[in-house]
Structures are given as C-alpha cells and as structure tokens.
Amino acid sequence: MDDSTHPIVLLEGVGKIYVQGGTPWPVLQGVNFRIDAHEYVAIVGASGSGKSTLLSILGCLARPSSGRYMLAGRDVQDLGEDELARLRNQVLGFVFQSFNLLPRASALENVMQPLVYRRVPLAERRRRASALLERLGLGERLHHRPNQLSGGQCQRVAIARALVGRPRLLLADEPTGNLDSQASADVLALFDELHAEGQTIVLVTHDPGIAARLPRQIRLHDGRVIADERASAEPTVVSLA
Ligand code: ADP
Ligand code: MG
C-alpha cells in the first residue's frame, strides 16, 4: 500500500466522551478535518477546550468514542494494541510541554531510545542520534543528563527524540509552555525550519500569538472546531487607485 496516496490525518465526526462521577461528559464533538503531507497546523483554543484530548487521539494514545480516525490510510479502530503501537512508532513523533525525558539517561541515550523499538543496530542508533543533536546545536551536550540542561536544551533533546525515527507527522502539545521567551522563540524557529524542509507538524497551543505564525489554524471551543483557517498564499493587494 502506498501511504502517500492518503492524507496523513482524516477525522470524520470524531467525538470523545469521558465519564465523570457516573455522568458522560462530551469533551470532543463532531470533529472533522484532514491534514496532508507538509502541512504546518496549529490547534488553538482556551484551556479545557479539548486540545490535548484531540492531540492524544491524533497520536493514538486515546481512541475516539465515536466517528472515524484514519491515520496514514489506516482506520485506527481496526487495529489491535500491538498494531497501533507499531503504527505510532513508525508514523508519529511526540513533543510535550514537560519534555518527558528519561531523567537518568544522557541526551544521546534519550534520543537513541525510540530506535530500540525499531531494532536499529546500536552503532547506527548512536550515529543518527548524535548527528541530530549536533544539528540542533547540542553537539557539546551529548552526555549531559536533563537536570544538567536548560529548559530550551531539554526541549531540543525532546524534539530530536521525536524526529530520530523520521516520523511522517510531528505532534507537539504546548511545546513552549515551560520555556522562557528566548527559548520559546528558538523552539518555534526550529519548527519553522523543519516545516520548510517538508516535515508535517501539528502544534497545540492556547496562545493565539503562536497560532497566528502558522499557515493553518484549527480553532477549538468546548470540544468543537469553530474555525479552520489558512493564511492566504497570495499577499493582500491594496489598491491605491
Ligand atoms: P486542553 O488541552 O484544551 O486544555 P483537555 O483536552 O486537556 O483540554 O481537556 C478538555 C476537557 O476534558 C476538560 O474539561 C478536562 O477536564 C476533560 N478531561 C481531559 N482528560 C480527561 C480524563 N482523562 N477524564 C475526564 N475528563 C478529562
Ligand atoms: Mg492541554
């Protein structure tokens, strides 16, 4: 099957219901959109609007309660846990607000780790991880542990870990949420650069200023998509006549 003939993400009528104190609570309702290769998409909305829930569905960490999610042409509903884990490992890379690095492992070991599941030989794991860390400006920090790195450096390690398996889709949940303004700007510039190289990226943020930098914004409110906007490719022409 040629996966490139399918959109990377296709959501049709996706809903998610959590049960709180015996009461069903709809957190997502009727979510429809598609994301194609090379897109750079912000999912934006206030706290509690359902962004993280939506990203966890996109990332196959949670399943929809209703509707259909096709990831790279596969209906996730048809997949067992093992198949889903394999698809996740092959297609997706994740970046989180809190970095989620292994605290006792070095930067290099953190980045090598996803390749273990892919049975990449050790020397090749080390080569790919160190090349990526060097590219992200961390060549001098390969053997530092997370507590010996700044927040911005930790997030770059986490981005390297997400990219080392060459995922078709990079998912990031508030990736600058724990960073100071300079480190945030650096991380956003890095995402821009990855997008310019063709990486497909979905970035979740509550910050309209961050979302506005991206070419497409999907706006959530109370679990529904209330807008799906693309920046126009054509610059607006103002007639002076
Ligand atoms: P956001 O990321 O936009 O802040 P979330 O997706 O985290 O929003 O949460 C949306 C809503 O779903 C919130 O009201 C939250 O309390 C609720 N929620 C999230 N996860 C769970 C869960 N595991 N169980 C019950 N309710 C949840
Ligand atoms: Mg969230």
Side-chain angles (χ1 to χ4, degrees):
M1 183 180 67
D2 178 5
D3 280 346
S4 63
T5 60
H6 299 282
I8 293 187
V9 161
L10 183 63
L11 295 180
E12 292 175 340
V14 164
K16 182 73 182 177
I17 292 174
Y18 286 120
V19 179
Q20 285 175 334
T23 312
W25 185 261
V27 174
L28 292 175
Q29 297 182 71
V31 174
N32 299 299
F33 57 77
R34 67 181 276 171
I35 295 174
D36 290 310
H38 314 307
E39 282 203 88
Y40 188 18
V41 183
I43 295 176
V44 60
S47 173
S49 58
K51 305 182 299 297
S52 292
T53 302
L54 179 54
L55 203 74
S56 67
I57 288 174
L58 294 180
C60 302
L61 300 169
R63 291 177 190 262
S65 308
S66 55
R68 192 159 81 126
Y69 174 26
M70 305 281 290
L71 172 61
R74 309 287 301 276
D75 187 335
V76 302
Q77 203 56 47
D78 296 340
L79 304 178
E81 289 307 315
D82 290 350
E83 283 176 302
L84 200 57
R86 200 171 322 122
L87 185 66
R88 198 160 59 217
N89 190 254
Q90 284 168 356
V91 175
L92 303 173
F94 291 89
V95 177
F96 301 96
Q97 177 171 347
S98 52
F99 321 135
N100 291 11
L101 297 174
L102 299 170
R104 276 181 283 277
S106 68
L108 184 64
E109 289 163 344
N110 267 284
V111 177
M112 288 165 63
Q113 196 239 349
L115 299 177
V116 173
Y117 304 119
R118 296 181 172 216
R119 305 202 188 120
V120 176
L122 177 65
E124 173 70 5
R125 293 206 294 272
R126 190 172 285 136
R127 193 191 63 72
R128 273 167 65 175
S130 57
L132 201 46
L133 283 165
E134 263 158 45
R135 206 211 121 178
L136 300 194
L138 292 165
E140 309 289 304
R141 300 282 187 280
L142 298 183
H143 303 292
H144 288 55
R145 284 195 299 277
N147 67 2
Q148 299 169 311
L149 298 170
S150 70
Q153 289 169 337
C154 283
Q155 195 58 301
R156 276 183 283 151
V157 173
I159 292 168
R161 181 187 54 184
L163 291 173
V164 76
R166 302 183 184 125
R168 294 188 58 199
L169 176 60
L170 182 65
L171 300 171
D173 194 351
E174 306 271 7
T176 62
N178 283 356
L179 303 181
D180 64 40
S181 54
Q182 184 56 54
S184 294
D186 291 346
V187 162
L188 292 172
L190 175 57
F191 281 118
D192 293 350
E193 205 180 298
L194 294 168
H195 163 62
E197 291 168 8
Q199 178 69 52
T200 312
I201 303 173
V202 174
L203 186 157
V204 160
T205 181
H206 68 278
D207 182 339
I210 291 176
R213 305 170 72 259
L214 273 59
R216 180 177 174 195
Q217 298 175 39
I218 295 173
R219 205 170 301 279
L220 276 188
H221 181 75
D222 289 347
R224 293 176 186 277
V225 173
I226 56 163
D228 185 348
E229 298 160 339
R230 288 165 208 270
S232 90
E234 304 285 316
T236 309
V237 178
V238 179
S239 169
L240 298 176

